[in-house]
Amino acid sequence: MKIGIACGYSWDVPGGVQYHCRDLAQELIERGHEVSVIAPAEEEPAEDFVYPVGAAIPIRYNGSVARLSFGPKVNREVRKWLADGDFDVLHVHEPFTPSVSMLALMSATSPVVSTFHTAMDRSRMLTMASGFIVPILDKIQARIAVSEEARRTAVQHLGGDAWIIPNGVFVKDMQIETLDERFTGTPDAPTLAFLGRIDEPRKGLPVVAKAFPAIRKAYPGVRLLVAGRGETEVARAMFGEHAEAVEFLGGISDEDKALLLGSADIYLAPNTGGESFGIILVEAMSAGAFVVASDIPAFRAVLSNGEFGAHFRNEDSADLASVVNASLADPERREQIAQAGAEAAWRFDWGTVASHVLSVYETAIRTAKIEVDDS
């Protein structure tokens, strides 16, 4: 099958949608399909299946910064890609975002599948643009949402419905053979791990900073390992006198990410909102981590309401400290839950997820043929 995948966000900047498109393309190529991904990119992508359309413009969106690409020049590149690709199916990600995916959808002549990744309660941009977007969405034969929250957002703003197919993870790539001494702790000096942009408040590091004094009171030898890009000195200042027990690792490789998640005593996911899924939770589960996460809907769905981890009340630092301290005090329970989570992670493996996506592709192609025959 010849498959075109349109990613609206800049390939140069790490992000969940970009990783989803990359990993899906790699899995489909491994299965023998011909795949091309189009995305904004200023630098030449490492992957030879990516068709770059130039630099993107940063726009604040849904509590973060999205880097998008639009305009006549980009539109010409998109049309050329579509014509040269002659795809059996076009898969557009975040088609309501004004970027490459929307442009691809507008010019599409092949059957179209869309995936909605975003979860939000209100969007002024979507409300204003819905009159323009909804007619374009009529070109879509089949819709996917990565979670119930993403589905709710799409239905609320755009109508219609969608299959729920989660984000995927290459589970085997996240599994570790031995613990890494850089990240391991002891009963008296446990290690906590945080991974995410340290200067993006919704990732929750300020919540951890407020909880940390109570955790250190119970476990004076505790270490907090913080991985992620951002202004380190600003983040360090949040911890005050307790910054001496915080180690900022900066951006880390995928290999070190797996080692960090699997070696630390607890992985902290204190995200305050704006998450439609929780791919990092699945990665942590795959690595064998015990996860303590906020109780936002997306995280409850991944952890099955605490079956595969522990939850604390969102943005409640005192509750976070209480849950962490209780979890550190019960290593046997942590180990049992972590093992259950590692087994449950396989339902998110790309081997399973990509098969579901391919089924939707086949449905879209059949639906498009019926529409042509009826006309």
Side-chain angles (χ1 to χ4, degrees):
M1 189 184 300
K2 296 178 68 176
I3 301 164
I5 298 177
C7 173
Y9 300 132
S10 176
W11 206 258
D12 301 322
V13 181
V17 177
Q18 296 94 313
Y19 289 153
H20 181 105
C21 293
R22 179 198 65 190
D23 293 350
L24 174 59
Q26 289 175 341
E27 176 67 19
L28 294 174
I29 291 169
E30 183 69 22
R31 296 188 185 199
H33 298 283
E34 186 178 334
V35 183
S36 177
V37 178
I38 189 169
E42 187 171 8
E43 300 179 3
E44 188 66 26
E47 301 83 1
D48 58 7
F49 55 78
V50 177
Y51 185 102
V53 296
I57 301 172
I59 298 173
R60 186 154 290 281
Y61 177 66
N62 193 29
S64 183
V65 175
R67 289 165 173 80
L68 313 175
S69 190
F70 207 81
K73 181 180 177 181
V74 177
N75 195 30
R76 286 194 296 272
E77 290 291 336
V78 170
R79 289 185 174 185
K80 181 180 184 301
W81 174 75
L82 288 170
D84 293 345
D86 189 26
F87 302 115
D88 297 311
V89 64
L90 172 66
H91 190 171
V92 295
H93 291 258
E94 299 286 56
F96 52 69
T97 303
S99 190
V100 170
S101 292
M102 182 183 289
L103 292 173
L105 177 59
M106 290 170 63
S107 297
T109 56
S110 58
V112 178
V113 172
S114 66
T115 289
F116 300 98
H117 295 260
T118 302
M120 64 181 81
D121 291 321
R122 297 175 183 173
S123 171
R124 182 179 298 176
M125 183 183 78
L126 275 179
T127 301
M128 292 173 58
S130 60
F132 166 72
I133 295 172
V134 171
I136 300 175
L137 294 181
D138 288 341
K139 300 181 70 173
I140 298 173
Q141 274 73 38
R143 302 183 185 189
I144 297 170
V146 298
S147 67
E148 183 58 46
E149 286 297 290
R151 174 188 168 275
R152 178 187 58 78
T153 299
V155 171
Q156 175 183 336
H157 292 286
L158 306 169
D161 208 342
W163 278 285
I164 297 178
I165 302 178
N167 284 304
V169 168
F170 290 114
V171 172
K172 235 175 188 177
D173 291 348
M174 295 302 300
Q175 294 175 334
I176 64 173
E177 295 182 2
T178 57
L179 301 181
D180 190 311
E181 63 181 12
R182 294 174 297 169
F183 309 132
T184 53
T186 66
D188 293 330
T191 51
L192 311 177
F194 170 93
L195 197 152
R197 280 204 64 90
I198 62 177
D199 52 4
E200 195 171 309
R202 73 183 180 97
K203 297 303 181 183
L205 190 58
V207 180
V208 177
K210 291 178 183 177
F212 202 50
I215 297 172
R216 282 197 86 195
K217 184 176 181 180
Y219 293 89
V222 69
R223 283 192 299 148
L224 174 63
L225 307 170
V226 177
R229 294 180 173 85
E231 294 294 332
T232 302
E233 292 309 312
V234 174
R236 191 185 302 277
M238 291 191 295
F239 289 87
E241 63 181 301
H242 298 282
E244 64 183 10
V246 183
E247 185 176 346
F248 290 90
L249 306 175
I252 59 176
S253 66
D254 288 343
E255 181 182 359
D256 274 352
K257 177 169 69 172
L259 290 168
L260 171 64
L261 293 172
S263 300
D265 291 288
I266 294 178
Y267 171 66
L268 303 177
N271 309 50
T272 61
E275 307 291 342
S276 65
F277 183 65
I279 195 69
I280 185 60
L281 269 63
V282 179
E283 292 178 329
M285 291 160 60
S286 301
F290 178 79
V291 179
V292 172
S294 58
D295 63 355
I296 60 177
F299 286 2
R300 279 197 168 277
V302 173
L303 296 182
S304 294
N305 293 311
E307 184 179 354
F308 305 123
H311 289 291
F312 69 95
R313 291 187 296 272
N314 186 26
E315 299 190 71
D316 188 333
S317 297
D319 195 41
L320 170 57
S322 177
V323 171
V324 168
N325 288 339
S327 298
L328 288 173
D330 194 347
E332 288 187 11
R333 178 175 175 273
R334 288 204 323 269
E335 180 62 24
Q336 290 172 355
I337 291 177
Q339 287 181 1
E343 293 175 8
W346 281 101
R347 62 189 163 127
F348 301 106
D349 185 70
W350 272 115
T352 299
V353 173
S355 294
H356 293 319
V357 173
L358 280 169
S359 294
V360 176
Y361 288 172
E362 291 164 1
T363 298
I365 292 170
R366 287 197 304 270
T367 302
K369 287 181 179 178
I370 291 171
E371 290 175 356
V372 170
D373 291 343
D374 286 349
S375 63

